[in-house]
Amino acid sequence: CMNDVSPPQAVLTAASYKSGTKPVWCPGCGDFTVLGAITKALASLQLPPHEVAVVSGIGCSSRIPAYMSSYGFHGVHGRALAAGTGLKIARPDLTVIVTGGDGDGYSIGGNHFMHACRRNVDLTYIVMDNHVYGMTKGQASPTTEPDWDNKLSPGGTGVRAFHPLVIALASGANFVARAFSGDPGGTADILAQAIAHPGFSFIEILSPCVTCRPEQREWKNHVHAASVDTTDDAARAARRIMTDDGFNIGVLYAGQRKAY
């Protein structure tokens, strides 16, 4: 009799996760690299595209589901985490990734952000932070520096910037990290760790908006590797993040809370 030998499975590459739709971001936008890093991370984990779902809200960064061959859901402004959480609970077999920006995630979506961290559902939340509403004329966002002078907020808003990593840790996120779009390899590695880590994983990716904030081109000269190793001690991570300069890159906290 003949042995029943299954054919070898094709190796998935980053290209396996890309759709035929071409991105329409501005030339030089950091989100191009983030998209590439997501596909590289999925390829490193060898997750079949039909077992991955990418959920987004509204904004430049929220276009990502259209550029991928996985399942995708383009939701409404600020509600991506609500949709992603519901999807993961209904279909725990899927790898759920939620993508968005600082305006979408921290302003109208701020309440969902805190409670998604608290619930600790096993999904990955990627926020491309450029400290501005890049798609709607360049208004100040929750993470904009209070003294950023622009036509819409002359002299700056004077409002203290939102600190997402502190909020995520305090609210119960099980994995907290920061990456930089100018480091595609390092970003892909951090994303792969986040996706593989159980519970709610949050990654802030510094992604320059060269159209509304061309000065962010200088971020490449400010980012640096975190000076201490990853910790599972929330108190130690809190001390590190509270004294953070905003440009530490790496996994800042990897906890051991049981996923919802």
Side-chain angles (χ1 to χ4, degrees):
C1 64
M2 297 180 64
N3 292 328
D4 182 13
V5 179
S6 300
Q9 296 294 317
V11 176
L12 295 166
T13 66
S16 304
Y17 302 91
K18 294 180 180 179
S19 71
T21 303
K22 301 298 182 183
V24 296
W25 294 309
C26 301
C29 177
D31 293 356
F32 283 101
T33 305
V34 177
L35 172 62
I38 293 172
T39 60
K40 289 177 183 176
L42 293 171
S44 72
L45 296 171
Q46 289 294 286
L47 296 171
H50 68 276
E51 295 180 4
V52 177
V54 182
V55 180
S56 71
I58 296 296
C60 300
S61 52
S62 291
R63 297 178 181 272
I64 280 186
Y67 306 143
M68 297 187 63
S69 63
S70 63
Y71 286 110
F73 183 82
H74 197 171
V76 295
H77 201 196
R79 312 303 184 210
L81 279 173
T85 298
L87 174 60
K88 181 63 182 182
I89 291 173
R91 287 289 305 275
D93 54 306
L94 292 177
T95 295
V96 177
I97 299 171
V98 180
T99 63
D102 44 301
D104 178 61
Y106 306 145
S107 185
I108 191 171
N111 186 55
H112 292 300
F113 175 50
M114 290 187 293
H115 290 289
C117 293
R118 183 175 67 88
R119 290 189 183 97
N120 199 34
V121 171
D122 186 20
L123 56 81
T124 301
Y125 185 35
I126 300 167
V127 176
M128 284 145 271
D129 195 346
N130 51 26
H131 300 184
V132 70
Y133 282 94
M135 195 173 73
T136 54
K137 304 184 186 299
Q139 302 98 321
S141 84
T143 53
T144 300
E145 302 86 339
D147 59 351
W148 181 56
D149 186 28
N150 63 91
K151 293 181 179 179
L152 296 171
S153 302
T157 63
V159 179
R160 180 177 178 176
F162 187 82
H163 199 325
L165 277 70
V166 171
I167 299 298
L169 181 66
S171 300
N174 209 33
F175 183 100
V176 179
R178 182 188 288 120
F180 174 52
S181 64
D183 176 21
T187 299
D189 179 61
I190 290 173
L191 290 176
Q193 292 181 60
I195 294 168
H197 196 81
F200 185 85
S201 296
F202 168 64
I203 310 95
E204 175 189 61
I205 303 182
L206 300 176
S207 183
C209 176
V210 297
T211 297
C212 296
R213 301 204 58 177
E215 72 275 13
Q216 290 177 347
R217 294 179 188 274
E218 288 300 309
W219 279 0
K220 65 180 182 294
N221 298 319
H222 298 311
V223 296
H224 53 89
S227 59
V228 291
D229 294 332
T230 304
T231 181
D232 62 358
D233 184 333
R236 185 179 175 196
R239 288 192 295 271
R240 174 195 301 180
I241 295 173
M242 286 298 293
T243 58
D244 176 55
D245 64 357
F247 292 100
N248 273 301
I249 302 302
V251 179
L252 304 174
Y253 175 72
Q256 299 184 35
R257 286 181 64 206
K258 184 179 179 180
Y260 178 86

